[in-house]
Structure formats: structure tokens, C-alpha cells
Amino acid sequence: DGGITQSPKYLFRKEGQNVTLSCEQNLNHDAMYWYRQDPGQGLRLIYYSQIVNDFQKGDIAEGYSVSREKKESFPLTVTSAQKNPTAFYLCASRRELGQETQYFGPGTRLLVL
Amino acid sequence: QKEVEQNSGPLSVPEGAIASLNCTYSDRGSQSFFWYRQYSGKSPELIMSIYSNGDKEDGRFTAQLNKASQYVSLLIRDSQPSDSATYLCAVLSQKVTFGTGTKLQVIP
């Protein structure tokens, strides 16, 4: 059963805490992406990775960090430096070559306590 | 100018009518065009892709592409209340770029 999984579905963060959002895909896709979506807003790109052990900042990378140690996994850490982290976080992946688009995981909703 | 532009809506149509969603893009080198549907609180799901000028039909959905005008549209025939969602347009050139989405409300 191929797809993209994200966990947890909901995540609560306390002040000053770092939290990590998981994203795993078994589609053998090369590229993986993290987006943030605020209520009623569009998608904003946080980080993306086109190959293992390499990643690039998107439009709103400040306060976030990522790693890409395996092709299947692209975890996102929301650090304490991100002052307004409450949002819906979406992971996506795509085959890097060709005309295919991105496919999304189910998302993680992050709330601040 | 935004790379991919959509009217944010909401677009309200009565049940059974045709809903027409529009998108314009700025990069003439764009190769591929996609429509996603996003229900409230859920992630976007791909519903249509189109790569060449003209129309592409899939059930009640028709995607239309006009590269000369840099315009792509999505028609939903016989609109149902279950079609109420936000529709995102996406364009592939060097990367996939998303519009901000059009909210569609189908009124029973």
C-alpha cells in the first residue's frame, strides 16, 4: 500500500520546546517537501530535498530544520525560534524527473499550549 | 505578479450547475498543470492533470489549457454539495508552484 504517512496527526508544543514532525514515503520518490498552511491561506514552502543528504530552504525556513538521511524519510523539526508555529503542516513528495506533480501526506496539525 | 493566480472566492453555485474555476500563470516555460481538491482540515488531493492545449475530461471534471493565454481552468459539471472544497491550481516549470486556491460552495 504505497503512500505518504505523517505523524502525529496532532501535536502540542510548549513554550521553548523543539518538536519533530515525521514524514515517510514508500513511493520511491526522489524529492520531498514541507509546507505550512495557515487557516484560509495558501501553501508556503518551508524546506525541500531533491536527493538524500541534501536539502534547500524554501520561503519560510526560519525557525525550522530538516534532515534527509534516507530517501524514504524527511523529518521536520520546529524549533523554539519559530515564534508562531500553530499551523497545518503538509509533507509532499514527487518523482524528480518527468511531468509528475507532488502528492501530499495527510498532514500534522501543530498547536501551542 | 504572483506566479500562479486564482480568485480566492468563495464561488457559490447551485447544486446541478456547472462550476468554473480559473487559474493564470506567469511562466511561459511551464510544462504541466494540475488541479487539487482540498477539503477543510484535510490535505490536498490530485484530481486532474493536463499537459497539452485543449480539454481533458474525467467524469464530471474537465480541465482546459490554453498555453498562449497562460490560462488553465477546471469545469465541474452537475456540481454536488460534496464538491464544496478549496481547489488549488498547480503549475510545473522548474518546480511545482501552487496558487492560493478558490473556495467552491455548492448550494443544495
Side-chain angles (χ1 to χ4, degrees):
Chain A
D1 194 17
I4 305 170
T5 58
Q6 291 186 244
S7 61
K9 187 173 181 179
Y10 295 96
L11 185 57
F12 298 91
R13 193 191 91 163
K14 295 179 180 178
E15 290 285 341
Q17 186 181 36
N18 292 353
V19 293
T20 297
L21 285 61
S22 169
C23 178
E24 303 276 334
Q25 55 97 2
N26 62 4
L27 301 168
N28 198 33
H29 285 172
D30 308 294
M32 298 185 73
Y33 306 81
W34 274 106
Y35 293 88
R36 169 179 172 145
Q37 189 175 41
D38 293 280
Q41 303 297 313
L43 302 170
R44 291 190 288 169
L45 183 63
I46 304 172
Y47 268 99
Y48 65 101
S49 169
Q50 295 170 300
I51 57 172
V52 174
N53 292 323
D54 190 39
F55 48 83
Q56 285 78 40
K57 293 181 179 180
D59 302 317
I60 56 163
E62 186 174 350
Y64 301 96
S65 66
V66 293
S67 63
R68 186 86 186 278
E69 296 177 2
K70 299 186 299 182
K71 188 175 185 179
E72 302 78 19
S73 179
F74 191 41
L76 173 73
T77 296
V78 183
T79 75
S80 57
Q82 173 49 244
K83 298 306 180 187
N84 185 23
T86 297
F88 189 41
Y89 289 85
L90 289 159
C91 178
S93 69
R94 72 180 286 259
R95 202 180 306 276
E96 187 61 10
L97 300 177
Q99 296 183 303
E100 292 184 30
T101 187
Q102 298 176 4
Y103 295 89
F104 287 88
T108 292
R109 195 165 298 279
L110 176 60
L111 301 167
V112 176
L113 293 176
Chain B
Q1 181 188 4
K2 292 182 182 177
E3 295 178 56
V4 179
E5 292 207 47
Q6 297 182 254
N7 187 319
S8 62
L11 172 66
S12 295
V13 300
E15 184 175 355
I18 295 175
S20 177
L21 303 162
N22 304 314
C23 173
T24 58
Y25 60 94
S26 60
D27 184 352
R28 286 196 170 274
S30 299
Q31 307 151 7
S32 311
F33 307 86
F34 311 94
W35 284 99
Y36 291 78
R37 177 177 61 202
Q38 185 176 23
Y39 291 114
S40 181
K42 302 295 185 182
S43 65
E45 59 176 322
L46 180 68
I47 55 172
M48 288 287 290
S49 56
I50 187 166
Y51 305 103
S52 55
N53 280 329
D55 295 359
K56 179 181 178 183
E57 187 174 318
D58 183 1
R60 294 186 296 110
F61 298 97
T62 299
Q64 299 176 317
L65 175 61
N66 184 327
K67 289 186 178 180
S69 300
Q70 295 174 248
Y71 178 92
V72 58
S73 64
L74 179 70
L75 301 179
I76 306 175
R77 289 182 300 281
D78 187 25
S79 295
Q80 301 297 309
S82 59
D83 295 324
S84 298
T86 296
Y87 290 80
L88 303 174
C89 173
V91 175
L92 172 63
S93 53
Q94 299 290 331
K95 59 178 182 175
V96 178
T97 302
F98 292 87
T100 54
T102 298
K103 185 173 184 178
L104 174 65
Q105 295 177 339
V106 181
I107 312 301

